[in-house]
Amino acid sequence: MSRVYSARSRAIEPFHVMALLARANELQAAGHDLIHLEIGEPDFSSAAPIIAAGQDALAAGHTRYTAARGLPQLREAIAGFYAERYHHPVDPQRILITPGGSGALLLASSLLVDPGKHWLMADPGYPCNRHFLRLIEASAQLVPVGVAERYQLNPQLINQHWNSNSVGALVASPANPTGTLLSRKELAALSASLKLRGGHLVVDEIYHGLTYGCDAASVLEVDDDAFVLNSFSKYFGMTGWRIGWLVAPPDAVADLEKLAQNLYISAPSVAQYAALACFQPATLAILERRRHEFAQRRDYLLPALRELGFRIAVEPQGAFYLYADISAFGGDAQAFCRHFLETEYVAFTPGLDFGQHRAGQHVRFAYTQNLQRLQQAVERIARGLKSWRPDAL
């Protein structure tokens, strides 16, 4: 029987990298030594204090629903983190605990964007952001950005692309796939530009904490009315726990709580109790050591890829990605990625997963492997470039 499913389900694209990952896993199961640089997940397991806190929560029977906004003590801990790290007070009442950063995005998009309306977003950017908008019958207005813009939106681009269906902008700092940041001054300029139009500013700060040689500014330091998406997945290393948060203006909290009650009831209870351990000094010390290791990886892989001929004109300041232009080698990014997967057993991501703007000329490397594995990957890539034939595939 042939079934017809919803137009929205057909419009939402899959992660193209997942097909590549499936093939990588097949090759690995067949005995090949795969080096995975394709998935944006830290290679470290959750820190020991976080695991212990989760085990304690299970032993204590903390397995029931929490309030839709989340555990009060976790919201207070996050507010304390803002006060300590950003020197900016945030009322815990403005914080909602969500099932991962995705849950925060679902709440914000459901609250702010009506069907037929759109947010402006940078292209390239994280694909799920635009897909969530399609889910609620809205859309993303993708704005092409490149080296000149450091892959970020700015007031000039807002002016150029804003139209009658625009209701706001979603930016990411640090950004996936490029690792670039928005400074405090740039965030303030974006905020002012959007307020002139009555638009909302939503900032993805999911990679905060993972910056190298600088600190990321929170948009809340310059715009207390902005919406902030964050997560325990990246810096805090809790990917599989599915726990994140949303900071919203006070007048939005009641409607967001209502949405949370209906969409997912509450974030995972055990994960919330485990996340309390993230702010302990012992845990933060572990996380800072891991950040230092990520910095070492970036500082090795960035010049190594450039030396091979990859063009990475903007040095990433955060996250754990390098977004590389492969124009010097010719051919299409998807075929390029397949070549290295099948011949050298190194997996990285084609640009098609991140948008449309020059996607066929870009790939993303995730430096979520240790230095030794990165060195092996570079050796294999160097060898694979010698056998790469753009017109052969």
Side-chain angles (χ1 to χ4, degrees):
M1 176 181 175
S2 177
R3 297 180 185 272
V4 178
Y5 296 110
S6 69
R8 76 175 64 86
S9 69
R10 297 193 300 272
I12 293 174
E13 301 173 29
F15 273 137
H16 297 284
V17 72
M18 298 313 292
L20 185 142
L21 176 62
R23 177 57 181 156
N25 288 336
E26 287 178 2
L27 291 168
Q28 191 166 333
H32 297 288
D33 178 33
L34 256 292
I35 301 179
H36 292 277
L37 307 180
E38 77 277 39
I39 299 299
E41 181 173 25
D43 52 321
F44 304 107
S45 62
S46 297
I50 296 172
I51 294 173
Q55 291 170 332
D56 290 344
L58 284 170
H62 295 314
T63 57
R64 302 176 68 85
Y65 297 133
T66 68
R69 279 193 286 168
L71 288 175
Q73 56 267 47
L74 181 56
R75 293 189 282 114
E76 290 167 5
I78 293 170
F81 187 68
Y82 277 97
E84 182 174 343
R85 179 150 296 194
Y86 303 101
H87 308 291
H88 182 81
V90 175
D91 186 346
Q93 299 301 315
R94 297 175 53 194
I95 299 170
L96 293 94
I97 310 301
T98 59
S102 298
L105 177 59
L106 180 59
L107 289 183
S109 56
S110 299
L111 178 77
L112 298 175
V113 194
D114 279 322
K117 301 298 183 178
H118 64 243
W119 278 337
L120 274 62
M121 296 183 190
D123 179 0
Y126 181 57
C128 282
N129 294 341
R130 64 181 187 270
H131 294 157
F132 267 106
L133 290 178
R134 180 62 186 88
L135 185 67
I136 60 167
E137 302 298 334
S139 64
Q141 175 71 27
L142 297 181
V143 178
V145 293
V147 172
E149 299 84 17
R150 295 174 41 259
Y151 300 104
Q152 293 282 2
L153 296 185
N154 57 45
Q156 292 73 34
L157 291 171
I158 298 292
N159 292 341
Q160 181 180 347
H161 292 273
W162 191 270
N163 61 41
S164 59
N165 286 324
S166 305
V167 295
L170 170 61
V171 297
S173 178
N176 176 9
T178 61
T180 60
L181 299 182
L182 287 161
S183 68
R184 190 175 286 102
K185 182 178 179 180
E186 289 169 329
L187 287 166
L190 277 172
S191 171
S193 176
L194 288 163
K195 284 185 175 181
L196 282 175
R197 294 164 176 77
H200 302 285
L201 177 56
V202 183
V203 183
D204 172 348
E205 298 185 354
I206 284 171
Y207 290 93
H208 268 223
L210 291 174
T211 56
Y212 316 111
C214 62
D215 292 322
S218 174
V219 68
L220 296 175
E221 300 172 51
V222 297
D223 182 359
D224 216 38
D225 291 325
F227 291 77
V228 175
L229 315 175
N230 213 320
S231 171
F232 287 94
S233 290
K234 308 302 182 180
Y235 175 67
F236 295 103
M238 295 182 67
T239 50
W241 299 81
R242 306 313 303 134
I243 187 80
W245 74 86
L246 170 66
V247 184
D251 62 357
V253 171
D255 282 330
L256 288 166
E257 183 176 21
K258 176 180 62 179
L259 288 168
Q261 290 167 345
N262 283 276
L263 290 171
Y264 54 78
I265 301 178
S266 67
S269 303
V270 172
Q272 293 189 61
Y273 283 98
L276 285 168
C278 288
F279 306 105
Q280 296 174 1
T283 308
L284 291 171
I286 294 169
L287 301 180
E288 284 300 300
R289 288 195 295 272
R290 293 177 175 183
R291 180 168 73 103
H292 179 68
E293 184 167 339
F294 276 124
Q296 291 179 315
R297 297 174 184 184
R298 183 203 65 165
D299 293 345
Y300 164 73
L301 190 59
L302 177 61
L305 290 175
R306 282 173 168 170
E307 188 173 342
L308 292 178
F310 292 88
R311 296 172 183 167
I312 308 172
V314 181
E315 180 173 302
Q317 299 167 289
F320 35 66
Y321 307 114
L322 298 175
Y323 195 59
D325 186 335
I326 62 167
S327 298
F329 310 120
D332 174 75
Q334 287 183 283
F336 191 78
C337 289
R338 285 197 302 271
H339 168 74
F340 286 91
L341 177 62
E342 298 290 344
T343 65
E344 300 297 337
Y345 310 116
V346 180
F348 45 91
T349 308
L352 185 61
D353 257 343
F354 307 106
Q356 302 165 5
H357 181 56
R358 299 195 66 233
Q361 290 80 50
H362 285 81
V363 299
R364 188 196 72 177
F365 297 91
Y367 44 94
T368 50
Q369 297 287 320
N370 63 40
L371 270 175
Q372 181 182 3
R373 294 295 275 170
L374 292 179
Q375 290 165 352
Q376 292 171 351
V378 168
E379 291 171 1
R380 295 184 191 185
I381 292 169
R383 186 172 60 222
L385 285 172
K386 296 176 183 177
S387 61
W388 165 242
R389 301 290 180 268
D391 301 322
L393 294 177

